[in-house]
Amino acid sequence: MSKYLITGGNKIHGTLSIKGAKNSILPLMAASLLNENINIIHNVPLIADVYTMIDILKSIGCKIDLNDHVLVIDSSNLSSNEIDEGYVKKMRSSIIVLGAMISRLEHVKIYEPGGCAIGKRPIDLHLNSLRQLGVKIEEGSIIDCTRKKIIGNDIILDSPSVGATENIILAAVKAEGITRIYNAAKEPEIEDLQDYVNKMGAKISGAGSDFIEIQGVDKLDKVEHTVIPDRIAIGTYMIASAITGGCLEVDKIIRPHMEPINKTLIKAGCEIEYTKEGLIITSPKKIQAINFLKTDIHPNFPTDMQAQMMSLMTLSEGDNVFYETIFENRFMHCSELNKMGANTETLSSHLCRVSGVDKLYGAKTTSPDLRGGAALVLAALAAEGESEISDIYHVERGYENIEGILNSLGANIKKI
Ligand code: UD1
């Protein structure tokens, strides 16, 4: 299995261009099942999760072409109503095809997603919401869904799950009547999904707020769309620059999407200047402690940036406490960071203390998960000497050519 060899100490400096968001493209690809037509998506990130979703859509009969970050999905004819167990075990977010498939077909079979490293991550909110739209669901190792009609309903989510909100939207787009989602997830990727499906002719409003209304329509048309920039990938590269004392220009961002991350970077002493379409981050002379960081739903600090921010704080002047409220096992990177000389202590499944140290040192580490692996790359960029990071398939699920991009910005990384 591939590894990264990183010699730390080089500043990450220059101009960065980032493709579309992983957490947008996956639901957009699922939504492409709805219109029984051609879907053209621009700015597609070439990451492992996108290739897995391509395999899933092909396995049920879609015709797919991916060329130069443009994805064309022809969903005119479906040949299967079942998603293979291997895909769902490989990528938990494959569950997102369920809403669109049950909109399209009267009988759908999908497997229970496997346990996930960062937490239990049940799908009860997805399934109970679909039940409220008239879908009969039998749960075993296989989830067997049947329906006559999908009928709009008022759905109150116990917690604002991103995936459940997306699955409800997808199932309700062609339902009979109106569906209202209360306590919906407000993440920017939900707005992108609304924009995409509305371009097909759907009638969805409210995405980005906690109340979403979907008026069912009979027919959807072909669509062409550009995926929003990946706020998490951008934030990760901003930290790469901040942790190495560099200065980085990002050519394209959506400012409100970046603000929860930027506020914390400013607290850490970074300067951020907005340009016409992007931003410039200048790193501090000495990284300041942020003292307390709580992850929470948008527009608060995203859980998907917690590990990377922790890497930055390992070199801060002072003490920090990280409070992870979304997932219950998202500190697996801490023990790996400690191998590099960091001073972190996991206090509970939701709390971790990080005291800044003067230096990190190259070490052999293992990526525990996608963002935890990215955090190790960041620490290695700042560390003295060479680091080896194994299990980088996690990182490749969500970052396109991270080694090539970082090398073009001054890093010294080899993938072996
Ligand atoms: C999405 C993102 C992921 C991000 C997360 C939180 C994608 C592909 N992934 O994941 O990167 O970290 O949002 O911003 O968009 N929960 C339940 N029951 C459910 C569903 C969720 O209890 O039916 C719990 C989960 O275990 C978790 C919390 O709700 O503790 C948040 O999960 P959710 O918002 O659903 O995250 P995902 O959609 O899986």
Side-chain angles (χ1 to χ4, degrees):
M1 260 187 277
S2 303
K3 296 174 181 181
Y4 295 132
L5 287 183
I6 304 180
T7 304
N10 295 2
K11 288 186 178 174
I12 297 302
H13 210 77
T15 303
L16 173 74
S17 262
I18 282 290
K19 296 289 175 223
K22 161 182 151 329
N23 289 352
S24 259
I25 182 65
L26 299 175
L28 298 193
M29 290 173 76
S32 303
L33 292 170
L34 293 171
N35 61 356
E36 307 178 30
N37 212 315
I38 303 287
N39 300 266
I40 303 172
I41 312 177
H42 298 267
N43 202 29
V44 173
L46 305 180
I47 52 177
D49 277 9
V50 164
Y51 291 111
T52 303
M53 190 57 105
I54 288 176
D55 289 343
I56 291 175
L57 296 181
K58 278 186 175 168
S59 77
I60 54 172
C62 291
K63 293 203 177 79
I64 301 204
D65 182 54
L66 174 60
N67 203 346
D68 198 17
H69 297 95
V70 181
L71 186 61
V72 180
I73 302 172
D74 178 353
S75 64
S76 314
N77 296 303
L78 294 192
S79 52
S80 168
N81 68 342
E82 184 172 338
I83 303 294
D84 193 75
E85 185 172 14
Y87 297 129
V88 193
K89 300 285 178 225
K90 188 169 172 189
M91 185 177 76
R92 190 185 181 280
S93 36
S94 347
I95 194 69
I96 203 65
V97 295
L98 178 57
M101 278 182 84
I102 199 66
S103 162
R104 180 100 186 243
L105 305 167
E106 287 181 11
H107 183 199
V108 173
K109 287 184 276 182
I110 190 164
Y111 284 81
E112 182 77 37
C116 176
I118 63 173
K120 291 196 290 288
R121 301 180 88 177
I123 51 164
D124 54 322
L125 299 171
H126 299 240
L127 300 186
N128 290 338
S129 304
L130 293 179
R131 286 187 176 107
Q132 289 178 66
L133 295 173
V135 182
K136 279 201 185 122
I137 302 178
E138 281 176 31
E139 285 180 75
S141 65
I142 198 160
I143 302 167
D144 193 272
C145 306
T146 48
R147 55 100 178 156
K148 291 228 155 50
K149 282 181 179 172
I150 297 197
I151 300 169
N153 202 349
D154 286 357
I155 297 175
I156 305 169
L157 285 174
D158 287 343
S159 68
S161 155
V162 174
T165 302
E166 291 165 346
N167 252 333
I168 299 167
I169 291 175
L170 295 174
V173 164
K174 293 176 88 177
E176 201 173 285
I178 295 179
T179 300
R180 298 184 189 88
I181 313 174
Y182 296 87
N183 198 25
K186 298 182 284 194
E187 269 60 14
E189 293 75 22
I190 311 254
E191 276 184 83
D192 205 25
L193 179 63
Q194 169 179 288
D195 291 349
Y196 184 67
V197 189
N198 279 350
K199 281 183 192 168
M200 294 178 188
K203 290 191 175 156
I204 310 170
S205 59
S209 79
D210 59 5
F211 173 70
I212 298 177
E213 190 169 276
I214 306 132
Q215 199 182 322
V217 297
D218 287 337
K219 205 177 167 322
L220 296 167
D221 214 340
K222 61 183 179 216
V223 65
E224 186 158 2
H225 184 78
T226 300
V227 191
I228 56 171
D230 193 322
R231 63 196 166 107
I232 305 300
I234 293 170
T236 304
Y237 287 102
M238 288 171 77
I239 292 183
S241 185
I243 201 170
T244 57
C247 176
L248 185 73
E249 176 163 10
V250 185
D251 65 355
K252 204 166 175 47
I253 60 151
I254 298 177
R255 186 169 166 171
H257 297 181
M258 295 311 303
E259 262 160 11
I261 298 167
N262 289 357
K263 266 195 247 167
T264 311
L265 285 170
I266 289 167
K267 219 172 152 191
C270 300
E271 275 174 33
I272 293 174
E273 181 197 328
Y274 291 97
T275 58
K276 196 159 166 251
E277 290 198 72
L279 59 73
I280 299 170
I281 177 168
T282 308
S283 54
K285 288 218 163 53
K286 183 72 200 158
I287 298 161
Q288 303 302 307
I290 51 172
N291 303 128
F292 179 73
L293 184 68
K294 178 182 169 187
T295 66
D296 211 339
I297 57 172
H298 192 75
N300 297 297
F301 190 83
T303 174
D304 286 351
M305 281 300 297
Q306 177 255 108
Q308 302 91 310
M309 191 57 74
M310 190 177 291
S311 288
L312 186 65
M313 286 304 108
T314 62
L315 289 170
S316 69
E317 218 161 31
D319 291 330
N320 307 273
V321 169
F322 281 69
Y323 179 25
E324 169 60 59
T325 73
I326 308 292
F327 294 110
E328 63 283 319
N329 191 24
R330 211 168 194 184
F331 289 138
M332 287 178 294
H333 43 280
C334 297
S335 53
E336 298 300 306
L337 289 171
N338 287 352
K339 290 180 187 166
M340 303 175 77
N343 181 356
T344 79
E345 184 189 6
T346 305
L347 306 170
S348 74
S349 53
H350 292 280
L351 281 176
C352 182
R353 176 193 57 76
V354 182
S355 299
V357 295
D358 288 337
K359 260 188 185 178
L360 295 174
Y361 300 92
K364 278 192 178 181
T365 60
T366 305
S367 295
D369 55 63
L370 165 54
R371 305 302 170 186
L376 297 178
V377 170
L378 299 178
L381 291 172
E384 192 176 292
E386 189 177 84
S387 296
E388 183 182 303
I389 306 175
S390 53
D391 287 1
I392 60 170
Y393 62 89
H394 288 297
V395 179
E396 293 179 335
R397 283 190 42 219
Y399 293 90
E400 175 179 338
N401 187 22
I402 192 170
E403 69 280 10
I405 292 178
L406 285 171
N407 280 335
S408 75
L409 296 169
N412 181 350
I413 307 190
K414 272 193 226 114
K415 182 173 152 181
I416 56 166

